[in-house]
Amino acid sequence: MNINDCFNCRIRVENVNFYYAKSQALKNINLDMFNNNATAIIGPSGCGKSTFIRLLNRMNELIPNTNLEGKILLDGKDINAIDTDVVEIRQLVGMVFQKPNPFPKSIYNNLSYGLEVKGIKDKHLIEKRIIESLKKSVLWDEVKDRLHDNALRLSGGQQQRLCIARCLAVEPEVILFDEPCASLDPISTAKIEELIVELKKNYTIVIVTHNMQQAARVSDFTAFFLLGELIEFGTTEKIFTSPKNKKTEEYLTGRFG
Amino acid sequence: MNKIGKVKEFFIEKLIVICGSLSIIFVILIFIFLAREGLTFFKYESIKDFIFGRNWYPLSNPARFGVLPLILGSVMVTLGAMAISIPLGVACAFYIAEIVNPKMKDILKTGIELLAAIPSVVIGFVGMVTLVPMVKKIFHLPTGLTALSGSIMLAFMAMPTIVSIAEDAITAVPKRYKEAALALGATHWQAIYKVILVAAAPGIFAAIMLGIGRVIGETMAVMMITGNAAVIPHTLLEPVRTLTATIAAEMGEAIRGSNHYYALYAVGIILFIITFVINFIADIFLHRIKK
Ligand SMILES: Nc1ncnc2c1ncn2[C@@H]1O[C@H](COP(=O)(O)OP(=O)(O)OP(=O)(O)O)[C@@H](O)[C@H]1O
Ligand SMILES: [Mg+2]
């Protein structure tokens, strides 16, 4: 395969195997994720979705005794190469976790952290970015009068939107969502879905979800994982209307998983 | 069966109540005793001369009971020990919790907990034969029995407590905070410094307070190493004598009912007040951090 072939391919995963200690969690995955598109990762619990998405910003490195084979290319560059700076990768590839995980700090400091880490010191710029990202994540109206309250006092849905804002504030180009709505009520879920649809105009989005309707609503491409293998990949429309693989069809129609 | 169970329950409950109240009663009794004996002293001597007196000559004639040099000795040794043990201890805790590999972590943690179990006399003795000559040589002093030696020794004794408890606090910080920080593009150091340290702050603070508690109450090692000269110290390189060491050294020879005897209890009251104030401040801080 030639890198130049993928004209709007942002992330390319090539022959990836991944192991926790001795158990293999991902088997020979090949997958492209495209610019200004949302790619949904679906599949039953334990099939390796989180493992996969965490490879894309090198979060699995934090777990001892893991092993990665194969290549992951971001804009054609191997993110695991020795001369690649992991900090740079993570600034480019942001992540929103399954469970909201704001820092035990004020709302303001939650958002300013990523900017300070980047070396931005200009108070006005920090403030501007904070307001922008809170507006983008549809949280601004709810928190504008209490930016210095502790973030842990927000509701679960608000916390998750704060985490999204925190991720947006550092201006990544790719955003990984690992079941962002898992602990949210329908209203917050709808707000976040709206946001993702909006975000994909400017970002590359990868979203893990258990919710088929959600995948159908927000994504352009869908990848179906089963037991660590990528069973089928295609446009969301095609996967949902005429899946080629029998297992995909069975999963989508709710016969297992 | 049910009835027996209820009776058992009743007795166990009462037993716990008795144990609990006994420990409180003992503390109160000790306090009353201390206050009674100590306050007797002030019938004969003025409080002002006691606290601001610059000379402690309990056996001269007339005897002088100025406790200021002892207070300053204690304060100096304690502050010195804190200055050494807090930064080193917290850094060490972070090293063990965050940087070292899991296998080495187990070894280090066990080692540090073992250190905490060494009796203070032993530490004092080792300090006397190793640290004291070293301090004497390095600073070209007439004697190595100085406040500095005492501070280093006490720091050494406070460190296991600080490291072990601070390490627990750091390890207990939910992993998701660290993941969130790293996912934002923070370096490991930035995650430690701005997120993990903040989240673990109450626990680290508690660790420091417990470490200081050990330092202030310590008697044996300090007595062996600080030179025991009851003079007002000007630098860390002079011999000092602490409040605790004074009580321990002189209680045996003080005649019961003499002014000297009551003076030592008055020293005990001072010690009590100092510890109380420190605990009080610690409490205020802890509450503030928790908010
Ligand atoms: N830290 C870990 N150590 C060892 N094995 C792990 C670890 N994390 C995940 N696994 C294993 O890897 C496999 C894939 O897990 P993963 O979390 O990627 O699944 P998932 O598709 O995200 O599931 P879910 O939908 O429940 O979140 C599972 O069998 C799991 O037990
Ligand atoms: Mg998962």
Side-chain angles (χ1 to χ4, degrees):
Chain A
M1 251 190 249
N2 191 333
I3 289 147
N4 300 332
D5 291 350
C6 48
F7 51 97
N8 68 350
C9 158
R10 203 72 218 268
I11 302 181
R12 163 161 290 177
V13 174
E14 270 180 20
N15 305 323
V16 159
N17 290 296
F18 186 80
Y19 306 84
Y20 289 109
K22 289 207 176 61
S23 79
Q24 186 166 9
L26 292 174
K27 293 171 195 158
N28 196 31
I29 308 288
N30 286 284
L31 184 59
D32 285 355
M33 280 148 275
F34 304 107
N35 210 359
N36 298 346
N37 276 296
T39 304
I41 312 285
I42 60 168
S45 190
C47 68
K49 304 181 297 293
S50 295
T51 306
F52 174 77
I53 201 172
R54 287 165 59 94
L55 281 177
L56 305 182
N57 66 343
R58 291 181 55 177
M59 286 312 272
N60 283 338
E61 286 181 358
L62 303 177
I63 304 169
N65 288 325
T66 55
N67 191 17
L68 170 71
E69 289 164 1
K71 268 193 190 154
I72 297 163
L73 306 173
L74 175 68
D75 300 325
K77 272 200 340 221
D78 185 353
I79 66 168
N80 292 299
I82 308 168
D83 60 343
T84 308
D85 181 6
V86 64
V87 166
E88 235 166 72
I89 296 295
R90 289 180 184 148
Q91 278 174 356
L92 231 51
V93 184
M95 181 164 211
V96 176
F97 295 80
Q98 182 164 345
K99 278 204 199 116
N101 57 354
F103 301 128
K105 298 168 177 256
S106 70
I107 295 171
Y108 185 95
N109 286 338
N110 260 278
L111 295 162
S112 65
Y113 178 78
L115 299 169
E116 283 160 16
V117 151
K118 250 181 150 176
I120 299 175
K121 293 209 177 72
D122 180 354
K123 281 265 183 310
H124 293 289
L125 181 59
I126 290 180
E127 207 153 286
K128 190 171 140 254
R129 289 265 197 97
I130 286 178
I131 295 171
E132 273 172 15
S133 51
L134 279 174
K135 281 184 177 159
K136 272 193 207 160
S137 69
V138 230
L139 189 60
W140 173 246
D141 288 334
E142 287 154 70
V143 301
K144 64 179 177 223
D145 300 322
R146 46 174 180 148
L147 288 179
H148 295 283
D149 275 12
N150 194 311
L152 299 180
R153 287 206 209 130
L154 296 173
S155 74
Q158 288 172 328
Q159 286 187 10
Q160 190 65 308
R161 275 178 282 148
L162 176 65
C163 292
I164 294 175
R166 184 174 67 183
C167 176
L168 296 178
V170 295
E171 302 190 325
E173 295 176 12
V174 179
I175 305 181
L176 312 172
F177 289 95
D178 189 352
E179 294 181 53
C181 305
S183 53
L184 301 189
D185 64 287
I187 294 172
S188 305
T189 302
K191 278 188 185 164
I192 288 180
E193 282 181 15
E194 243 172 73
L195 172 66
I196 291 172
V197 171
E198 185 62 31
L199 287 175
K200 69 183 182 187
K201 289 179 192 155
N202 301 306
Y203 300 84
T204 306
I205 308 263
V206 184
I207 175 172
V208 170
T209 176
H210 275 290
N211 181 333
M212 295 309 119
Q213 283 78 38
Q214 183 171 77
R217 281 192 298 260
V218 305
S219 72
D220 309 287
F221 293 88
T222 297
F224 172 58
F225 279 62
L226 187 62
L227 296 173
E229 282 177 273
L230 174 60
I231 303 293
E232 190 166 352
F233 174 71
T235 61
T236 299
E237 203 189 331
K238 234 171 135 196
I239 295 272
F240 276 82
T241 51
S242 54
K244 279 188 234 129
N245 193 299
K246 199 143 189 308
K247 288 179 193 154
T248 315
E249 193 187 333
E250 281 173 357
Y251 181 69
L252 289 172
T253 51
R255 249 170 283 167
F256 75 89
Chain B
M1 180 61 215
N2 206 351
K3 211 169 171 193
I4 294 174
K6 262 190 192 150
V7 172
K8 217 163 123 191
E9 186 87 345
F10 176 82
F11 277 110
I12 290 176
E13 209 181 291
K14 287 294 169 253
L15 194 71
I16 292 173
V17 171
I18 290 172
C19 291
S21 28
L22 266 186
S23 58
I24 295 173
I25 289 169
F26 281 138
V27 171
I28 292 174
L29 283 181
I30 290 173
F31 178 72
I32 291 175
F33 186 72
L34 179 70
R36 203 192 62 190
E37 303 286 89
L39 292 178
T40 309
F41 177 73
F42 298 114
K43 274 191 215 155
Y44 309 108
E45 306 273 338
S46 83
I47 293 188
K48 203 178 129 227
D49 286 348
F50 179 64
I51 293 180
F52 297 106
R54 308 174 127 255
N55 299 303
W56 177 264
Y57 301 135
L59 298 178
S60 70
N61 200 0
R64 310 278 290 275
F65 298 105
V67 86
L68 189 63
L70 309 182
I71 294 178
L72 290 179
S74 274
V75 167
M76 190 175 255
V77 172
T78 307
L79 287 183
M82 282 164 68
I84 299 167
S85 63
I86 293 173
L88 271 183
V90 173
C92 185
F94 270 104
Y95 177 71
I96 294 177
E98 279 292 319
I99 293 164
V100 100
N101 64 36
K103 215 170 169 189
M104 196 63 194
K105 177 174 170 168
D106 279 350
I107 297 174
L108 284 177
K109 259 218 111 176
T110 321
I112 290 203
E113 270 148 27
L114 272 180
L115 272 186
I118 300 178
S120 58
V121 187
V122 176
I123 293 190
F125 183 65
V126 172
M128 217 159 87
V129 295
T130 58
L131 181 68
V132 169
M134 213 160 80
V135 169
K136 179 179 169 179
K137 218 168 116 196
I138 292 175
F139 295 99
H140 305 291
L141 299 173
T143 169
L145 298 167
T146 60
L148 179 68
S149 316
S151 293
I152 295 175
M153 219 60 246
L154 284 180
F156 192 72
M157 292 168 70
M159 285 263 288
T161 313
I162 296 180
V163 174
S164 160
I165 295 174
E167 197 270 338
D168 286 341
I170 296 163
T171 309
V173 171
K175 237 179 48 203
R176 56 176 195 275
Y177 292 153
K178 184 179 171 188
E179 286 197 333
L182 294 179
L184 284 171
T187 61
H188 193 178
W189 166 244
Q190 286 168 329
I192 288 178
Y193 178 61
K194 288 198 170 146
V195 174
I196 302 176
L197 180 64
V198 173
I204 292 176
F205 190 72
I208 290 172
M209 288 323 291
L210 284 171
I212 294 175
R214 191 158 180 209
V215 165
I216 292 178
E218 179 47 43
T219 310
M220 262 342 270
V222 179
M223 207 156 91
M224 293 163 79
I225 253 182
T226 53
N228 279 323
V231 290
I232 292 188
H234 300 284
T235 69
L236 271 175
L237 296 174
E238 287 166 34
V240 294
R241 174 190 271 195
T242 62
L243 294 163
T244 49
T246 305
I247 298 177
E250 296 177 10
M251 198 44 108
E253 63 201 41
I255 300 153
R256 201 184 159 120
S258 68
N259 272 5
H260 187 195
Y261 173 83
Y262 291 125
L264 292 179
Y265 275 96
V267 170
I269 292 183
I270 302 263
L271 204 53
F272 177 83
I273 292 172
I274 293 176
T275 329
F276 182 80
V277 167
I278 288 178
N279 277 339
F280 190 69
I281 294 172
D283 249 26
I284 292 175
F285 263 97
L286 268 185
H287 278 293
R288 205 181 275 166
I289 290 172
K290 270 189 194 141
K291 268 188 203 160

